[in-house]
Amino acid sequence: MANFKDSPNFQVFDDYYTPASAWKQIWKIIPVDKTIWEACMLGAEKSNSPYHIVSAARTDTGQSPEMVFDTKMDCLKEQPDEWDMIITNIPFDKEKKIPILKKFVEYDKPFITLMNSCNLYSNYMGEIFGENIKHLQVIHPRGKINYLKLENGEVKKTKNCSFYSVYVCYKMNLDMEDLWIL
C-alpha cells in the first residue's frame, strides 16, 4: 500500500486534457438535442475536448449537440447566455474543484464531469451536494483513462494514470445499465 507521504515529489498538475476515447465511452448518454457547455476550458487553448464531445455524440445518431465553450471564461464568474447542460473534465486540484462543483449545483442544471474516483469518498462531496445528492449518479468506465498532458506547449499522450476516473452525473436520470461501461 502506498501513501502520498511516501512520495515527497507529488505535485498537483492541472494541465491535462481529456482524450477523445474518454468521451466516446459515454456517447450513448450525450444528448444531441441540447446545448452543451464545456465549462472548464479556462486557459485550455490546446484542448480539443468540445470537439471530442461533439464527435462522440454523433457516433450513433448522425446528429450532434450544439457546443459552447470559451478558453477565457471562468465558470465561477460567468456563463454562456444559453446552455442546457455541462459536460466537462473538472480540475484535479481540490481548491479549484470544490468551488466549481458548488457553482454547478447552484446552476441546478444537468451535468457530467469526469473526475478522480477517490472524490466520491471525500467529505466535501456530501457537503457540496447536501440533499441534492439524490440527483447524483456515477458512471464507472472500464479501466483507467490516460489523459493528455500539456508539456512545454505540446500535448502528449500519457500512460499508466495513477488513479481511476468516474463520470459524476447530476440530474441526468440515467438507466442503471448506463452506469457501468463494460
Side-chain angles (χ1 to χ4, degrees), residues 23-24 27-28 32 53-63:
W23 299 128
K24 285 179 183 173
W27 69 270
K28 290 192 304 186
V32 295
I53 292 168
V54 169
S55 177
R58 288 193 296 212
T59 303
D60 186 28
T61 65
Q63 298 176 299

Side-chain angles (χ1 to χ4, degrees), residues 5 7 22 28 45 54-55 57 80 90 95 107 135 150 175 178:
K5 70 179 181 174
S7 179
K28 290 192 304 186
E45 287 82 10
V54 169
S55 177
I90 202 159
E95 302 306 315
Y107 288 143
H135 297 296
L150 181 64
D175 293 330
D178 292 327

Side-chain angles (χ1 to χ4, degrees), residues 133-171:
I133 203 120
K134 65 186 174 211
H135 297 296
L136 282 188
Q137 292 178 292
V138 178
I139 298 174
H140 303 270
R142 184 176 184 177
K144 291 182 179 179
I145 295 172
N146 292 306
Y147 296 90
L148 307 172
K149 185 175 185 178
L150 181 64
E151 280 187 294
N152 302 318
E154 188 178 332
V155 178
K156 299 179 179 180
K157 290 183 179 183
T158 63
K159 56 184 176 180
N160 301 325
C161 185
S162 62
F163 58 89
Y164 286 89
S165 298
V166 292
Y167 302 88
V168 175
C169 305
Y170 180 75
K171 291 196 169 183

